[in-house]
């Protein structure tokens, strides 16, 4: 018996399930995330339908900036896939490049978002201002935390975590795939948040 | 074989040069983590029980000073002015009793401790699929527990809006935007606890799906593993909405939003200065979307444990293994669409009531199938009445009472009378206390020899069992009577200022004496536990109960990595008394004879 315990199916698929452990794990985690944001979107629906009036986000939220942010996140999703594909093609340098761009896109998103937040505070729009603003700050805030979480993971995999490429390339590639699945999910949430908060007309 | 064992154990000790901290504190070994969960949750269970014992004094002798002087002095004048319990303190005890018992006691014990320790063993794995994640889920749980405990010491004391934390009350009690108020800390603690169970459930499900030993097909899984699998899905999918709700209530409390505060709210004669437009009912929906599946999180692992203990001690296969499995899956699915039966009286409307009443009646069917299958499993068995079996046997009628008394609550019209009375308290305590807790005790007595290599003392165990059984019924049976008389569950004086409660007030004293006597019998368990850890009778075999499942195919206690050789499974989980076999049990890893 060796000192380190070797958990099976860490880097190879289990034949009968066709999955390696982390892939199943991340899909389960994403299922719970769907429930988390599902609850928030349900809250939006319930409070909106229960209210006589509702604000049109575009009137005081910055649609152009949010559009740019949408593009930034979509680009980051593409580069995330490219970084994984580079590893699949055995090109570690390109992986570093694409992963770096992904992290950078995350940072750009957060910077733009923080400008938006600052502008809201300056014009006297706070979470306590209205139900709409409460939902806006809660939902985008929680999404922002998810972006930060993803950036931390990606930075680790770009920096110190990438040592694994030299010892266990297959497992490292899997890690990038798993991180990518999470990153796509974070993008996807924004794809829903953007029209819901910025574009949907009021009543 | 024995030589190999000793050799490996020796080897194990050699490479096991991990520091004390890595080995016992920040361990990634699922068994150490399971024991950590177990001990922590037992401490919390006892703590939650102490909160209740204090409340029972006020209920039995309302307005009289606590006869234990030093305790009143220690609790201080804010909580116990002149030794008499303050109403606010009573509310704190009530809210925290529920929270501590469920989220820090029973669930971590049933899922964290038993799930962690046994699932990898029963599926023949070396460890959980993600050992480091496993360690972090314990420590996140620990932080959540510490936050909850600290909330007693902030100004104004802990949360006092019930374990359900219904707004608007919970949003505005106390009215402060500080994080360091009881309610805000309660919410913060909950976010930690939810995150912990989320990490844990991802781990459990992945372990069961991915790390099953060769030959361990789905229909060969022990029923306990099935129960943990379904529980994992409930935790995974039901908890996040409460996490969202917790964050939103924190926003209400800290950032002054009014997600749960309707317009036009007047507090103490003054209009509340918030934007309004929120919905108090929204919290109830999000809360019960978690908290109803949570009921099954409490009961399914218990059923799993009882199934294992019954099969082993009747020396025959479980009756209807497949129906048990299909029932538990159906139960898990249905538990997501019954939540609003907790809300019949909120004015949701009769159509919605009718829907949830129907689903509630449907969900009782698989529960009854499981209970019936377990009872039928006893038929014709040569039953060994040891302590684990006694607890498992008592689980059946106790859970039966708890389940059947739930039916009137699930019917919208009967619920009008019974809602929020002591009847409800009696109902769910029968499910959780002499139900789930008895099953967990059965599990502790049953698996203790594997964990420690020593038995718990049988005689003390029987004293613990009979005492607990009598006292539990002494506490909870009278609650049905009080509830049907209409006594509300949240009365500070136990109902003594209400005319309709006068005839049933006398029961309060009996219930309180039973609760305090129950504590004495738990002391027997605690003494037994510590005595047996160090001086209990040693086991002479790795499989002392002559059981069939894989956890007994390990050395005692199992080393890091569990199995000496990778196990392979050849048969179903409960092959007891197979005709023609040499012994009355065939372990799952025993190859078929040629």
């Amino acid at each position: 018996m060796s000192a380190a315990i070797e958990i099976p199916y860490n880097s190879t698929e289990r034949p009968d399930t066709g999955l390696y452990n982390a892939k199943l794990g991340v899909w389960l985690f994403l299922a719970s995330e769907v429930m988390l944001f599902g609850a928030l979107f349900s809250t939006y629906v319930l409070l909106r339908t229960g209210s006589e009036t509702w604000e049109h986000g575009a009137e005081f939220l910055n649609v152009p900036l949010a559009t740019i942010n949408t593009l930034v996140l979509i680009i980051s999703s593409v580069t995330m896939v490219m970084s994984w594909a580079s590893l699949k093609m055995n090109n570690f340098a390109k992986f570093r490049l694409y992963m770096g761009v992904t992290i950078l896109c995350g940072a750009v998103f957060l910077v733009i978002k923080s400008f938006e937040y600052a502008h809201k505070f300056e014009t006297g729009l706070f979470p306590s201002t209205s139900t709409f603003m409460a939902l806006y700050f809660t939902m985008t805030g929680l999404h922002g935390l998810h972006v930060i979480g993803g950036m931390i993971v990606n930075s680790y995999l770009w920096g110190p975590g990438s040592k694994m490429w030299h010892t266990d390339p297959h497992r490292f590639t899997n890690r990038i795939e798993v991180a990518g699945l999470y990153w796509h999910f974070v993008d996807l949430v924004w794809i829903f948040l953007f029209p819901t908060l910025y574009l949907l007309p009021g009543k | 074989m024995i030589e190999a064992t000793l050799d490996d154990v020796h080897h194990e000790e050699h490479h096991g040069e991990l520091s004390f901290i890595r080995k016992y504190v920040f361990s990634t070994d699922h068994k150490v983590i399971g024991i950590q969960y177990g001990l922590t949750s037992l401490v919390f269970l006892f703590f939650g029980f102490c909160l209740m014992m204090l409340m029972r004094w006020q209920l039995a002798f309302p307005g009289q000073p606590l006869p234990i002087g030093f305790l009143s002095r220690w609790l201080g004048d804010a909580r116990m002015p002149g030794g008499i319990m303050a109403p606010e303190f009573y509310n704190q005890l009530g809210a925290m009793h529920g929270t501590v018992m469920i989220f820090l006691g029973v669930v971590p014990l049933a899922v964290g401790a038993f799930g962690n320790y046994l699932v990898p063993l029963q599926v023949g794995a070396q460890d959980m699929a993600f050992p480091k994640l496993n360690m972090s889920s314990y420590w996140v749980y620990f932080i959540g527990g510490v936050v909850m405990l600290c909330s007693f010491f902030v100004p104004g004391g802990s949360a006092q809006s019930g374990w359900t934390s219904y707004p608007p009350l919970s949003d505005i009690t106390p009215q402060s935007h500080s994080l360091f108020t009881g309610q805000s800390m309660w919410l913060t603690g909950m976010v930690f606890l939810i995150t912990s169970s989320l990490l844990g459930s991802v781990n459990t499900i992945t372990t069961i799906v991915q790390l099953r030993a060769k030959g361990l097909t789905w229909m060969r899984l022990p029923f306990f593993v099935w129960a943990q699998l379904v529980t994992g899905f409930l935790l995974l999918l039901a908890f996040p909405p409460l996490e969202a709700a917790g964050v939103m209530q924190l926003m209400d409390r800290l950032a002054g939003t009014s997600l749960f505060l309707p317009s036009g709210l007047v507090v103490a004669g003054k209009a509340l200065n918030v934007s309004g437009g929120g919905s108090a009912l929204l919290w109830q929906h999000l809360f019960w979307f978690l908290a109803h599946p949570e009921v099954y999180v409490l009961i399914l692992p218990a059923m799993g444990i009882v199934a294992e203990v019954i099969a082993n001690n009747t020396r025959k296969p479980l009756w209807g293994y497949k129906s048990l499995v299909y029932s538990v899956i159906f139960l898990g699915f249905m538990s997501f669409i019954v939540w609003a039966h907790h809300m019949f009286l909120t004015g949701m409307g009769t159509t919605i009531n009718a829907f949830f009443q129907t689903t509630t009646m449907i969900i009782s069917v698989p529960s009854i199938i499981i209970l019936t299958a377990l009872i039928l499993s006893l038929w014709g068995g040569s039953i060994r009445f040891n302590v684990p079996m006694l607890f498992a046997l008592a689980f059946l009628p106790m859970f039966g009472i708890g389940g059947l008394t739930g039916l009137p609550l699930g019917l919208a019209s009967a619920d009008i009378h019974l809602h929020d009375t002591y009847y409800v308290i009696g109902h769910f305590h029968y499910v959780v206390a002499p139900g789930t807790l008895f099953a967990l005790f059965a599990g502790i007595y049953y698996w203790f020899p594997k964990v420690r290599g020593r038995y718990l003392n049988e005689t003390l165990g029987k004293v613990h069992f009979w005492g607990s059984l009598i006292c539990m019924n002494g506490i909870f049976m009278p609650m049905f009577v009080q509830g049907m008389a209409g006594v509300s569950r949240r009365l500070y004086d136990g109902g003594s200022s209400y005319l309709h409660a006068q005839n049933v007030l006398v029961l309060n004293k009996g219930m309180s004496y039973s609760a305090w006597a129950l504590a004495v019998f738990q002391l027997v368990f605690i003494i037994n536990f510590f005595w047996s850890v160090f001086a209990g009778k040693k086991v002479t075999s790795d499989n002392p109960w002559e059981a069939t499942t894989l956890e007994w195919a390990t050395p005692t206690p199992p080393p890091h990595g569990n199995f000496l050789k990778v196990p392979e499974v050849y048969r179903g989980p409960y092959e007891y008394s197979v005709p023609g076999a040499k012994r009355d049990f065939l372990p799952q890893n025993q190859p078929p004879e040629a």
Side-chain angles (χ1 to χ4, degrees):
Chain A
M1 223 192 286
S2 65
I5 289 180
E6 204 48 57
I7 307 283
Y9 313 119
N10 257 338
S11 55
T12 51
E13 285 94 13
R14 183 182 160 112
D16 58 347
T17 61
L19 296 162
Y20 55 88
N21 296 343
K23 196 165 186 173
L24 177 62
V26 82
W27 277 113
L28 292 169
F29 176 68
L30 292 183
S32 82
E33 291 279 46
V34 167
M35 296 303 288
L36 179 75
F37 283 99
L40 290 171
F41 279 101
S42 311
T43 300
Y44 176 91
V45 171
L46 198 135
L47 292 182
R48 185 186 162 117
T49 49
S51 172
E52 302 221 324
T53 59
W54 198 259
E55 290 98 321
H56 181 195
E59 284 167 16
F60 46 94
L61 300 178
N62 196 326
V63 178
L65 276 187
T67 314
I68 293 172
N69 253 351
T70 310
L71 288 174
V72 167
L73 278 191
I74 291 175
I75 291 168
S76 79
S77 254
V78 175
T79 55
M80 187 83 208
V81 177
M82 308 266 273
S83 73
W84 174 68
S86 308
L87 286 183
K88 280 276 179 193
M89 292 184 288
N90 236 341
N91 192 335
F92 185 69
K94 272 205 167 165
F95 154 77
R96 289 281 287 239
L97 173 72
Y98 285 124
M99 190 54 130
V101 175
T102 309
I103 298 163
L104 207 65
C105 284
V108 169
F109 175 88
L110 286 177
V111 169
I112 292 179
K113 198 80 219 150
S114 60
F115 277 124
E116 276 192 77
Y117 269 29
H119 184 69
K120 297 288 147 333
F121 294 146
E122 278 165 21
T123 49
L125 292 173
F126 294 99
S128 56
T129 308
S130 67
T131 308
F132 181 91
M133 289 318 289
L135 281 170
Y136 169 80
F137 280 109
T138 312
M139 293 170 95
T140 57
L142 215 56
H143 175 258
L145 286 179
H146 278 78
V147 173
I148 293 173
M151 282 172 64
I152 292 173
V153 172
N154 288 349
S155 305
Y156 172 76
L157 293 172
W158 183 83
S162 66
K163 279 186 204 134
M164 190 188 246
W165 173 253
H166 307 292
T167 55
D168 193 350
H170 197 70
R171 191 171 176 194
F172 182 67
T173 312
N174 286 344
R175 285 196 165 176
I176 302 301
E177 186 183 12
V178 165
L181 284 168
Y182 171 80
W183 191 252
H184 298 323
F185 173 81
V186 174
D187 290 358
L188 192 66
V189 170
W190 177 256
I191 304 290
F192 280 92
L193 281 177
F194 175 49
T196 307
L197 294 172
Y198 289 78
L199 303 181
L200 270 189
K203 66 171 187 178
Chain B
M1 185 65 205
I2 290 170
E3 266 173 356
T5 313
L6 290 174
D7 208 41
D8 275 321
V9 169
H10 195 64
H11 196 85
E12 178 66 27
E13 280 167 0
H14 257 292
H15 77 68
E17 302 296 348
L18 296 169
S19 66
F20 177 83
I21 289 194
R22 284 289 306 280
K23 202 168 171 192
Y24 295 109
V25 184
F26 295 108
S27 172
T28 55
D29 182 351
H30 72 99
K31 296 180 295 297
V32 178
I33 297 170
I35 293 168
Q36 287 176 326
Y37 262 115
L39 295 177
T40 318
S41 55
L42 282 171
V43 170
F44 274 121
L45 274 178
F46 191 73
F47 174 69
F49 183 38
C50 291
L51 300 182
M52 177 42 64
M53 283 193 283
L54 269 177
M55 292 173 79
R56 288 275 13 145
W57 170 262
Q58 168 64 19
L59 290 171
F61 306 99
Q64 293 181 34
L66 194 70
I68 312 171
F70 76 91
L71 194 56
S72 323
R73 280 193 296 280
W74 183 70
L75 289 167
D77 268 351
R79 302 183 183 94
M80 305 281 286
I84 299 164
M85 188 176 289
E88 294 79 12
F89 187 49
Y90 178 85
N91 287 345
Q92 290 173 27
L93 291 176
M96 295 310 282
H97 166 74
T99 308
V100 168
M101 283 305 207
I102 291 176
F103 296 108
L104 293 168
V106 177
V107 173
L109 184 57
V111 182
F114 281 101
N116 242 315
Y117 198 97
L118 291 170
V119 165
L121 290 175
Q122 288 199 332
V123 300
Q126 296 184 332
D127 205 315
M128 287 290 233
F130 311 112
K132 284 179 196 153
L133 194 69
N134 201 12
M135 174 185 78
S136 41
S137 64
Y138 170 76
W139 284 106
V140 174
Y141 154 70
F142 189 83
I143 295 170
V146 170
V147 171
M148 288 286 185
L149 285 184
C150 289
S151 74
F152 277 99
F153 302 102
V154 295
S158 69
Q160 43 183 305
S161 307
W163 81 283
T164 52
S165 281
Y166 278 3
L169 185 65
S170 58
D171 262 16
I172 56 173
T173 314
Q175 268 182 298
S176 155
H177 288 319
S178 162
L179 178 62
F180 297 100
T181 56
Q183 184 63 25
S184 297
M185 287 184 74
W186 186 90
L187 292 163
T188 316
M190 282 306 290
V191 170
F192 277 107
L193 295 177
I194 293 168
T195 309
S196 155
S197 8
L198 228 58
L199 301 178
S201 59
V202 168
N203 219 338
T204 311
I205 298 172
T206 311
T207 305
I208 296 172
V209 175
Q210 290 286 96
L211 301 187
R212 276 169 295 131
K214 192 178 172 206
L216 190 56
T217 56
W218 290 103
M219 281 303 158
R220 283 177 177 174
L221 283 180
F223 184 65
F224 177 78
V225 176
W226 271 111
Q228 288 285 345
L229 181 68
V230 175
T231 304
F233 274 103
L234 298 186
L235 287 172
L236 186 77
L237 301 178
F239 250 138
L242 185 65
E243 188 149 28
V247 170
M248 287 193 279
Q249 198 177 103
L250 269 179
M251 287 292 282
D252 276 5
R253 293 189 55 83
L254 303 182
T257 61
S258 39
L259 292 162
F260 298 123
L261 294 174
S263 305
L265 210 59
V266 176
V267 178
K270 281 201 293 195
L272 204 62
N273 183 24
V274 293
S275 66
S279 163
L281 209 56
L282 172 64
W283 169 269
Q284 294 194 24
H285 278 296
L286 293 174
F287 181 85
W288 287 114
F289 187 83
L290 153 87
H292 199 81
E294 179 80 4
V295 174
Y296 293 93
V297 171
L298 297 170
I299 201 67
L300 294 184
M303 287 169 164
I305 292 170
V306 168
E308 300 297 308
V309 174
I310 282 184
N312 177 258
N313 286 305
T314 53
R315 315 306 294 164
K316 60 194 277 284
L318 281 182
W319 193 91
Y321 170 80
K322 280 194 176 174
S323 354
L324 282 169
V325 169
Y326 295 137
S327 297
V328 83
I329 295 170
F330 184 61
L331 199 67
F333 171 74
M334 286 300 291
S335 73
F336 283 102
I337 46 172
V338 295
W339 79 88
H341 65 211
H342 296 270
M343 300 163 60
F344 284 147
L345 268 68
T346 56
M348 294 184 300
T350 46
T351 319
I352 296 181
N353 281 3
F355 173 81
F356 282 102
Q357 162 177 311
T358 312
T359 54
T360 305
M361 292 304 118
I362 293 173
I363 201 175
S364 63
V365 175
S367 318
I368 289 171
I369 291 176
I370 292 175
L371 199 60
T372 310
L374 290 176
I375 292 173
L376 286 177
S377 299
L378 303 174
W379 186 262
S382 51
I383 300 177
R384 303 189 299 208
F385 287 98
N386 48 26
V387 178
M389 188 59 171
L390 289 176
F391 274 105
L393 286 174
F395 167 89
L396 301 173
M398 293 297 110
F399 173 71
I401 294 175
L404 291 176
T405 52
L407 291 177
L409 294 169
L411 295 166
S413 50
D415 189 50
I416 293 173
H417 179 63
L418 297 171
H419 183 83
D420 244 355
T421 64
Y422 266 100
Y423 183 90
V424 181
I425 308 281
H427 151 67
F428 70 71
H429 277 89
Y430 260 100
V431 174
V432 180
T436 300
L437 275 181
F438 270 24
L440 295 176
F441 277 129
I444 291 174
Y445 283 94
Y446 182 66
W447 280 294
F448 191 87
K450 176 50 73 184
V451 177
R452 183 59 198 164
R454 294 172 188 272
Y455 294 95
L456 283 163
N457 183 288
E458 279 278 306
T459 314
L460 288 176
K462 281 179 179 157
V463 174
H464 175 217
F465 167 73
W466 288 108
S468 299
L469 184 67
I470 293 165
C471 292
M472 290 265 195
N473 283 284
I475 302 169
F476 301 123
M477 193 61 87
M479 287 187 179
F480 293 126
V481 182
Q482 284 199 334
M484 282 188 281
V487 182
S488 163
R489 63 190 278 193
R490 300 200 193 273
L491 299 178
Y492 161 64
D493 61 1
S496 56
S497 54
Y498 288 81
L499 191 61
H500 68 266
Q502 296 305 316
N503 287 333
V504 291
L505 274 185
V506 62
L507 295 173
N508 273 334
K509 288 197 174 61
M511 290 193 279
S512 291
Y513 288 129
S514 295
W516 300 324
L518 182 63
V520 175
F521 288 107
Q522 301 320 299
L523 290 182
V524 174
F525 170 71
I526 293 170
I527 292 166
N528 187 0
F529 188 88
F530 284 106
W531 184 80
S532 301
V533 163
F534 299 108
K537 194 176 86 179
K538 282 190 176 168
V539 294
T540 49
S541 139
D542 283 337
N543 188 0
W545 307 113
E546 303 195 315
T548 51
T549 42
L550 283 179
E551 77 268 31
W552 304 101
T554 59
T556 308
H560 197 36
N562 297 340
F563 296 90
L564 297 181
K565 60 171 193 161
V566 178
E568 191 173 341
V569 171
Y570 301 95
R571 55 189 79 244
Y574 305 112
E575 299 212 351
Y576 288 104
S577 305
V578 178
K582 285 199 194 92
R583 292 178 299 176
D584 73 341
F585 68 106
L586 291 172
Q588 285 191 281
N589 60 336
Q590 180 174 315
E593 283 167 43

